[in-house]
Amino acid sequence: MPELAQDLIGCAGIVQRGDPDRFRAAMAAPVSARPVLFPIYAFNVEVSRAPWMTQEPLIAQMRLQWWRDALDEIVQGGRVRRHEVVTPLAAVLDADGAALLDELIKARHWDIARDPFDDEAHLTDYLEKTSGNLMLAAARALGRADPAVVMDAGYAAGLANWLRAIPALENAGRVPLLDGRPEGVRALAENGLRRLRAARAGRAGVTVAARPALLAAWQAGHLLRRAAAHPELVAAGGLEPSPIRSSLTLLARSMSGRW
């Protein structure tokens, strides 16, 4: 089996184990999109878990720096280190895409510390740089897409996943919400829904080729509506959709292209 094909299988395995929702979204995408999506999503798995693999901030920073150095090699366009994820990633990213992912890594430094977000703008920036930049890098690697549309969808997807993770983040000693009261959670979810509606209103700005990248937002609408209607479920970890509903929603989104 050619080396690149082995790497892609390895990337798919990383995503399947570390980010099952994006794995399902990638598997629902056309086969031609998967060699683009899997390396980008595998990169995200590796970067997102780096701050959580050690209690030593310096070691976590070194791990993130390793990925920044790898992206810089892609930006420079020269020799890129041999690595199961980096090698196929270099085959699908241009310099601008690598720069987007570098901003994602810089935002992930928040995960190393235990400080709360400074303000609402800080939380928004974190979600846009992590979930939004990831979705935009994937969309750009597949085809043409309006960055504003993708960023709105990426923010909504990131916020939905963030709200799902609140209990785990709090158990890990983080302060994930600026206002954990029901009214604060409701306002946050409603803002996510507003941006998701704006993204869907701008669907024409995303080409057919780029649409598979936005399938990662397939659960965002349901989760955010549930959080807005029942904000007390966020702290209780009760946002999870039923497996049947989740599967049917993904099937409908993938078949219609109306992420």
Side-chain angles (χ1 to χ4, degrees), residues 28 30 174:
R174 302 305 197 267

Side-chain angles (χ1 to χ4, degrees), residues 19 24 63 107 115 120 122 126 154 165 215 236 240 245:
D19 192 346
R24 292 171 65 194
R63 286 177 170 155
D115 299 326
E120 185 176 345
H122 187 191
Y126 175 87
L215 275 178
E240 293 301 316
R245 181 191 180 97

Side-chain angles (χ1 to χ4, degrees), residues 3-88:
E3 196 169 58
L4 182 57
Q6 289 180 324
D7 287 341
L8 288 172
I9 291 172
C11 286
I14 290 170
V15 180
Q16 184 176 26
R17 294 186 297 272
D19 192 346
D21 284 345
R22 284 195 177 88
F23 176 79
R24 292 171 65 194
M27 291 301 292
V31 174
S32 59
R34 295 175 196 169
V36 174
L37 295 175
F38 279 134
I40 294 174
Y41 291 167
F43 159 88
N44 185 60
V45 171
E46 297 290 351
V47 167
S48 63
R49 68 186 181 188
W52 303 90
M53 294 175 67
T54 177
Q55 295 295 317
E56 296 295 331
L58 182 59
I59 294 176
Q61 290 168 4
M62 290 172 63
R63 286 177 170 155
L64 291 180
Q65 186 60 49
W66 188 95
W67 286 100
R68 292 195 69 191
D69 292 343
L71 289 175
D72 186 60
E73 292 171 0
I74 295 174
V75 169
Q76 298 303 320
R79 183 179 178 84
V80 176
R81 64 193 65 189
R82 174 75 188 97
H83 183 269
E84 181 182 39
V85 176
V86 177
T87 302

Side-chain angles (χ1 to χ4, degrees), residues 64-245:
L64 291 180
Q65 186 60 49
W66 188 95
W67 286 100
R68 292 195 69 191
D69 292 343
L71 289 175
D72 186 60
E73 292 171 0
I74 295 174
V75 169
Q76 298 303 320
R79 183 179 178 84
V80 176
R81 64 193 65 189
R82 174 75 188 97
H83 183 269
E84 181 182 39
V85 176
V86 177
T87 302
L89 190 65
V92 300
L93 284 185
D94 61 11
D96 289 340
L100 286 169
L101 296 185
D102 185 63
E103 290 295 319
L104 180 157
I105 295 175
K106 288 192 283 187
R108 283 289 178 190
H109 279 81
W110 182 89
D111 298 333
I112 299 174
R114 296 181 182 272
D115 299 326
F117 290 105
D118 297 334
D119 49 30
E120 185 176 345
H122 187 191
L123 173 58
T124 297
D125 183 72
Y126 175 87
L127 293 173
E128 289 184 343
K129 292 289 175 59
T130 53
S131 179
N133 275 22
L134 179 69
M135 187 174 285
L136 184 54
R140 289 185 71 263
L142 288 168
R144 289 184 297 102
D146 182 336
V149 172
V150 179
M151 188 58 68
D152 278 339
Y155 171 86
L159 177 59
N161 288 331
W162 189 251
L163 294 176
R164 293 167 76 185
I166 294 302
L169 289 165
E170 291 180 339
N171 287 338
R174 302 305 197 267
V175 184
L177 293 174
L178 291 160
D179 183 354
R181 297 173 302 163
E183 53 267 39
V185 173
R186 180 179 292 111
L188 196 59
E190 288 175 347
N191 184 55
L193 286 170
R194 178 188 61 78
R195 293 192 63 172
L196 183 61
R197 287 193 295 270
R200 288 175 173 168
R203 279 193 183 101
V206 181
T207 60
V208 173
R211 285 178 191 170
L214 284 86
L215 275 178
W218 100 88
Q219 298 185 100
H222 171 71
L223 293 170
L224 292 172
R225 284 191 297 272
R226 191 163 168 77
H230 306 284
E232 70 281 358
L233 293 178
V234 171
L239 287 184
E240 293 301 316
S242 72
I244 292 177
R245 181 191 180 97

